[in-house]
Amino acid sequence: RAEGDPPEDSLPRHYLGGRSFGPVLTAGTMFASFFSGYTVVGVPNEAYRSGFLSLRWITSAAIVGLGFFGTAARLRKLSLVRNHQSPVDFISDRFRSQILRYTAVTFQIFPSIIYLTAQCTAIRTTFNSIFRLDPNNVGAVIGICLIILLFEFMGGLSCVA
């Protein structure tokens, strides 16, 4: 390692909090991600518009939770032993294929963009309705995104948690 280079573990420390979080803090960050803006704003809005059709979110959340509880402990142990930092690391380590690695990255990016768009829309809608601003005002979204970027530059997940 050359002088001035970041330490080898700078990415895990930034994105994974150095893997030092206990089960309660880890569950809290998962809970915050799962019950996000869409859950708070989008699902009630859909329930208002579609009625009982929105109950599908209850079963889908239960299925996701069961899938997580069925695999999380084993994947956590494996990630510590094999130094995986993301699902893509697991896939590329398991199947030894760079094509599959980049395919998995692509399949992760598109849902992330949709998720981020839903969060920004939820922030804008909620903030503008609470403060009775123009529905198209994006000032709050820009301000909150700048705060999030500040936390990212200050230390990532460790700084937020």
Side-chain angles (χ1 to χ4, degrees), residues 108-128:
Q108 280 187 332
I109 287 174
F110 290 120
S112 295
I113 290 170
I114 293 169
Y115 176 81
L116 188 59
T117 303
Q119 299 312 302
C120 289
T121 302
I123 290 169
R124 184 192 57 161
T125 304
T126 304
F127 192 87
N128 292 346

Side-chain angles (χ1 to χ4, degrees), residues 60-109:
S60 64
I63 291 169
V64 168
L66 287 173
F68 176 77
F69 287 122
T71 59
R74 186 170 180 209
L75 287 175
R76 167 79 173 146
K77 287 177 189 173
L78 186 63
S79 74
L80 292 173
V81 170
R82 304 292 289 231
N83 198 27
H84 297 155
Q85 298 174 25
S86 72
V88 173
D89 289 340
F90 170 75
I91 290 169
S92 60
D93 182 39
R94 169 70 174 88
F95 297 104
R96 307 273 186 218
S97 169
Q98 290 300 313
I99 292 172
L100 189 57
R101 176 185 187 91
Y102 293 118
T103 303
V105 167
T106 303
F107 284 144
Q108 280 187 332
I109 287 174

